[in-house]
Amino acid sequence: MRDLIKEVFTSVFHPDGMEDQARLQADALSEPGARLAFTTDSFVVDPVEFPGGDIGKIAVCGTVNDLAVGGGKPLWLSAAFILEEGVEVALLRRIVASMAAEAKKAGVRIVTGDTKVVGRGMADKVFVTTAGVGVIPPERDLRAEHVQAGDVVIVNGVLGDHGAAILAARGDMALSADIVSDCQGLGHLMEAVITAAPGLRAARDATRGGVASVLNEIAEAAGVGIEIEETALPLRAEVRGMCEILGLDPLYLANEGTLVLFVPEDQAEAALSAMRTTEAGRDSVAIGRVSPGAAGRVTMRTAFGGQRIVDMLVGEQLPRIC
Amino acid sequence: MRDLIKEVFTSVFHPDGMEDQARLQADALSEPGARLAFTTDSFVVDPVEFPGGDIGKIAVCGTVNDLAVGGGKPLWLSAAFILEEGVEVALLRRIVASMAAEAKKAGVRIVTGDTKVVGRGMADKVFVTTAGVGVIPPERDLRAEHVQAGDVVIVNGVLGDHGAAILAARGDMALSADIVSDCQGLGHLMEAVITAAPGLRAARDATRGGVASVLNEIAEAAGVGIEIEETALPLRAEVRGMCEILGLDPLYLANEGTLVLFVPEDQAEAALSAMRTTEAGRDSVAIGRVSPGAAGRVTMRTAFGGQRIVDMLVGEQLPRIC
């Protein structure tokens, strides 16, 4: 076990020997007024590998994205693994490699970790828990409460790809869709937005519960209404088709690389232009607007000119989507 | 599920509403030369509740202790839960309450968290992963490489209680021992030691693999020998008895509140006196000394005057001890 850990995990994350505890310095953190951002998530996605990613990629991206949407510059990650006895070592190697690659892309370091092994049948292959530390620059203060009437709602691309990809990958729907998860880091995209649109009010990463859940949370926290346009929603034809067959609403499907931004009207164009120059923001588009009335309510103007309420998700979410 | 999370977890950890991501400030972190300490561990202990603690207590103490033995003042923790569907809610409440109590005792705040649910049989009741952030003051630099010949090896109390308590609690040994885990936070004890013995070279928390593993790691890292005295080892009669029956060596049994310190000879008495005034250090005692020869080798003078090598643990450790 010691050898396995050393070889599979430590050798990739800390080629030059690692202490159990990381001791770190960052000038950005000692700037007066800078704040530390700290977040964690466990990942239990099933299947562990899917089109567009694996549990390792999703763990790194998910934590980087949590930090980024809060306005933080992601710096350091921890990675803790719970392994089922007998899990294929080649699988672990692929997961670790994909974490290292994603961390490099995002400009963060995985600086501390842990592995625990449980008996067969006591866990499902591998669970990964990451925590992340970042620094929020002195003047930056993104928060839901800042969102106000007139703000434009922007997303960085098509919706629901992750949820649809996982559903298809499970195979129990007998669907053979060619959908790839949108799993990606959003740190660089967030920096581009903040530079181009410094008035950015708030940002969210639309994961479990999809865009609908994010919109409802923000509407509630800011005490505003939000109105989106069905015809503006960017959806892949395959995802739309799958949703029709299965009776799902793509607004509630999970994403793993989808940014929802609330931008003052006069900076919306600047934000969109800047976003479209980045890989993760190529398909950025405005999907709606914040309205003064009906605090806490999200509505959608449908393709047929009607209006319907987009509620908080009721009932079960898809299990083990991330 | 949303209600469950809100009620069981958020209500205890963040009575006044929590953001998914914590945004924190600490003056200590902006001091020039201060470093940030960052560590993580997953906990899969079986049984989840045992004499002297539960998986929540062990998760908070373990992470606090990792930070403390590196010289860091523990500040903030994250807590991520993987729950098996159908896990008893009353159990979760007890775990959360014990985490909150332990965090309070240690003077840390649990500032961010996550819960994931997996199907029945896909995890064993509950796994907890904590990460911790602390600050290491500018001049403090504890590390194994500083340990040198002549240093005194000190422990804060009896050895092996956690391992023995878990073994007994599993019940499969038909042992009815009355042993309580030593699970406890060591932050305050570490501060007392550093104040009394500022020359402290290095400290370790002897968990999985016991005191023997810590001694071997330090001997190897510092390139020194370490000699301990069998007659000086503080052992509870019940633990000694259990080890004799089962053929176990208490030096390899896990602890969850046991500090191993390496102190310059002229400060050893001061360290011991200071430690003995604290609850966690009441039974502190010197168990050996660092020797110049035989780099990397740990030896024990036995009760009968002989000498034996105390090797790194070979083979399987007790599974799911923490």
Side-chain angles (χ1 to χ4, degrees):
Chain A
M1 206 36 225
R2 245 170 69 100
D3 291 347
L4 176 78
I5 290 171
K6 199 157 187 168
E7 211 228 317
V8 176
F9 296 95
T10 318
S11 71
V12 175
F13 293 139
H14 291 267
D16 48 0
M18 106 170 154
E19 294 235 32
D20 186 40
Q21 169 188 271
R23 304 172 191 194
L24 308 158
Q25 245 170 335
D27 290 342
L29 262 179
S30 56
E31 233 183 294
R35 284 172 301 160
L36 180 137
F38 185 26
T39 187
T40 192
D41 270 307
S42 285
F43 296 87
V44 298
V45 64
D46 172 38
V48 171
E49 298 180 294
F50 49 83
D54 59 33
I55 195 170
K57 183 177 180 187
I58 214 175
V60 169
C61 292
T63 294
V64 162
N65 294 350
D66 272 354
L67 294 171
V69 298
K73 181 180 161 42
L75 295 173
W76 303 301
L77 300 191
S78 65
F81 300 83
I82 296 172
L83 310 174
E84 184 186 10
E85 198 190 324
V87 63
E88 203 197 328
V89 173
L91 169 66
L92 297 182
R93 274 189 221 287
R94 292 195 297 275
I95 291 170
V96 165
S98 111
M99 293 180 81
E102 235 19 78
K104 194 174 170 197
K105 245 195 227 174
V108 299
R109 284 199 301 136
I110 297 171
V111 294
T112 186
D114 183 49
T115 53
K116 290 285 174 353
V117 180
V118 299
R120 272 169 217 271
M122 294 292 152
D124 191 12
K125 294 189 193 76
V126 52
F127 300 144
V128 183
T129 303
T130 40
V133 170
V135 60
I136 305 172
E139 303 299 308
R140 197 171 292 173
D141 187 23
L142 304 180
R143 58 172 72 213
E145 292 78 5
H146 292 172
V147 171
Q148 48 191 260
D151 288 352
V152 177
V153 184
I154 294 174
V155 296
N156 66 316
V158 292
L159 308 180
D161 281 9
H162 179 71
I166 294 292
L167 267 177
R170 285 194 190 151
D172 41 342
M173 307 283 186
L175 292 166
S176 63
D178 215 17
I179 303 168
V180 173
S181 166
D182 62 331
C183 181
Q184 62 184 337
L186 296 169
H188 301 307
L189 177 58
M190 269 298 291
E191 285 303 319
V193 171
I194 289 172
T195 306
L200 176 68
R201 317 269 194 208
R204 281 288 187 281
D205 174 23
T207 55
R208 275 195 285 184
V211 168
S213 301
V214 163
L215 296 177
N216 273 282
E217 275 169 35
I218 296 277
E220 196 183 321
V224 296
I226 296 176
E227 198 176 294
I228 59 173
E229 303 280 339
E230 185 170 22
T231 53
L233 296 179
L235 286 175
R236 212 176 287 287
E238 296 89 332
V239 173
R240 197 190 295 271
M242 181 190 277
C243 283
E244 274 168 17
I245 294 169
L246 300 177
L248 294 171
D249 185 335
L251 279 175
Y252 296 94
L253 277 187
N255 311 277
E256 285 297 334
T258 294
L259 203 54
V260 185
L261 297 168
F262 298 82
V263 187
E265 188 172 11
D266 61 351
Q267 298 185 10
E269 266 316 311
L272 281 166
S273 307
M275 292 171 76
R276 288 178 183 143
T277 64
T278 69
E279 202 196 319
R282 228 173 24 225
D283 301 319
S284 296
V285 64
I287 61 164
R289 191 174 283 270
V290 180
S291 60
R297 177 171 292 185
V298 180
T299 54
M300 181 163 78
R301 202 125 49 117
T302 67
F304 307 106
Q307 203 181 38
R308 73 166 175 91
I309 289 175
V310 178
D311 231 334
M312 200 57 117
L313 187 57
V314 181
E316 278 295 309
Q317 294 194 343
L318 207 58
R320 298 185 64 182
I321 198 75
C322 62
Chain B
M1 206 35 226
R2 246 171 68 102
D3 291 347
L4 177 77
I5 289 170
K6 200 158 186 170
E7 211 228 316
V8 176
F9 296 95
T10 318
S11 71
V12 175
F13 293 140
H14 292 267
D16 47 0
M18 106 171 154
E19 293 237 31
D20 188 39
Q21 169 188 268
R23 304 173 191 193
L24 308 157
Q25 246 171 334
D27 291 342
L29 262 179
S30 57
E31 234 183 295
R35 284 173 300 162
L36 180 137
F38 184 27
T39 187
T40 192
D41 270 306
S42 285
F43 295 88
V44 298
V45 64
D46 172 36
V48 171
E49 298 182 291
F50 49 82
D54 59 34
I55 195 169
K57 182 177 181 187
I58 213 174
V60 170
C61 292
T63 294
V64 162
N65 293 350
D66 272 355
L67 294 171
V69 299
K73 181 179 163 38
L75 295 174
W76 303 302
L77 300 191
S78 65
F81 299 83
I82 297 172
L83 310 175
E84 184 184 11
E85 199 189 324
V87 63
E88 202 197 329
V89 174
L91 169 67
L92 297 181
R93 274 189 219 285
R94 292 194 297 274
I95 291 170
V96 166
S98 111
M99 294 180 79
E102 240 11 85
K104 195 173 169 197
K105 245 196 226 173
V108 299
R109 284 200 301 138
I110 298 170
V111 294
T112 185
D114 183 49
T115 53
K116 291 285 175 353
V117 180
V118 299
R120 273 169 215 270
M122 293 293 150
D124 190 12
K125 293 189 192 75
V126 50
F127 300 143
V128 183
T129 302
T130 39
V133 170
V135 58
I136 305 172
E139 304 298 309
R140 197 172 290 175
D141 187 23
L142 303 181
R143 58 172 71 213
E145 293 77 6
H146 292 172
V147 171
Q148 49 191 260
D151 288 353
V152 176
V153 184
I154 293 174
V155 297
N156 66 317
V158 292
L159 308 180
D161 282 8
H162 179 71
I166 293 293
L167 267 177
R170 285 194 189 151
D172 41 341
M173 306 285 186
L175 291 166
S176 64
D178 214 19
I179 304 168
V180 172
S181 166
D182 62 331
C183 182
Q184 63 184 335
L186 296 169
H188 301 308
L189 178 58
M190 269 299 290
E191 285 302 319
V193 170
I194 290 172
T195 306
L200 175 69
R201 317 271 194 207
R204 282 287 187 281
D205 174 22
T207 55
R208 274 195 286 186
V211 169
S213 301
V214 164
L215 296 176
N216 273 281
E217 275 169 37
I218 296 278
E220 196 183 321
V224 296
I226 296 176
E227 199 175 291
I228 58 173
E229 304 280 340
E230 186 170 21
T231 54
L233 295 179
L235 288 174
R236 211 176 288 286
E238 294 89 334
V239 173
R240 197 191 294 272
M242 180 190 279
C243 284
E244 273 167 18
I245 294 169
L246 301 176
L248 294 171
D249 185 335
L251 279 174
Y252 297 94
L253 276 187
N255 311 276
E256 284 298 334
T258 294
L259 204 54
V260 185
L261 298 168
F262 298 82
V263 187
E265 188 173 9
D266 61 352
Q267 298 185 10
E269 267 315 311
L272 281 167
S273 306
M275 293 171 76
R276 288 178 184 143
T277 64
T278 69
E279 201 195 321
R282 229 174 21 225
D283 301 320
S284 297
V285 65
I287 62 164
R289 191 174 282 270
V290 180
S291 60
R297 177 171 291 184
V298 180
T299 54
M300 180 164 77
R301 203 124 50 114
T302 66
F304 308 106
Q307 204 181 40
R308 74 167 175 90
I309 289 175
V310 178
D311 230 334
M312 200 57 116
L313 187 59
V314 182
E316 277 295 308
Q317 295 193 343
L318 207 57
R320 299 185 63 183
I321 198 75
C322 62

